[in-house]
Amino acid sequence: MTYTYRLTVLALLLSAAACSAESTAPVASRTEAPPAVPAPLSGSDRAAAPGIAQKFTDAANRGDSQGVAATFAEQARFDSVGRIFPSRQAIMSRFIDPEVIGVGGRYEITGTRWAGDRYVVDYRFTTRSGGEEIFYYAFLIRDGLIRDVLGRYR
């Protein structure tokens, strides 16, 4: 092999390796902006959070769509395992109504805790057809309403 040929092959291999390394880097979502950094949790919001999370749970278990909606701020955001619902209307119409209330879903609280400013509720969720999932919701409560939820499987 000629020296020029070897250099060409080496250059191609290095170029391919560089492209490969670039393509494995995580890509940020271009469709959803990250949530704004909220103000620190007030004492009244900390005190209210368990009751609001319970109100959400009770309304969902009754199949009360309006009651669930009333726990969310209009511009609330819900991240259900990476599926982002950017408003109360989207949360209800694209998630809660079809995937919780519509399937006869029932939340059973299995634990609670604080994670920074978020009140975290562990759930066992069952449907009337026998489906079951284990997950948690990390609620961010402000002014008596749910502003943001992170939902993740356990």
Side-chain angles (χ1 to χ4, degrees):
M1 278 195 238
T2 69
Y3 181 73
T4 304
Y5 178 76
R6 287 183 188 161
L7 283 178
T8 303
V9 169
L10 180 59
L12 287 172
L13 289 174
L14 289 174
S15 176
C19 289
S20 174
E22 288 176 14
S23 67
T24 60
V27 176
S29 171
R30 291 174 179 87
T31 60
E32 297 294 335
V37 177
L41 188 67
S42 72
S44 61
D45 285 332
R46 183 175 278 284
I52 293 166
Q54 187 67 55
K55 185 177 176 181
F56 162 86
T57 303
D58 292 345
N61 285 346
R62 286 192 311 271
D64 179 2
S65 181
Q66 290 181 348
V68 173
T71 65
F72 286 98
E74 187 176 333
Q75 296 306 313
R77 179 180 175 274
F78 200 118
D79 174 345
S80 176
V81 196
R83 294 182 311 151
I84 308 297
F85 304 98
S87 67
R88 176 175 52 209
Q89 188 277 328
I91 292 165
M92 296 307 298
S93 67
R94 294 178 21 219
F95 177 54
I96 298 294
D97 284 337
E99 295 183 33
V100 176
I101 292 173
V103 298
R106 180 137 188 93
Y107 291 100
E108 175 190 349
I109 297 174
T110 60
T112 62
R113 64 191 176 285
W114 282 97
D117 285 350
R118 290 183 181 266
Y119 185 68
V120 181
V121 181
D122 298 309
Y123 291 107
R124 175 176 294 116
F125 179 78
T126 56
T127 66
R128 72 175 146 251
S129 65
E132 181 176 294
E133 296 177 319
I134 307 295
F135 53 83
Y136 66 88
Y137 290 160
F139 294 96
L140 183 65
I141 309 292
R142 292 291 189 277
D143 302 320
L145 294 171
I146 300 168
R147 303 291 172 164
D148 190 77
V149 180
L150 298 174
R152 300 293 186 263
Y153 290 109
R154 305 258 331 126

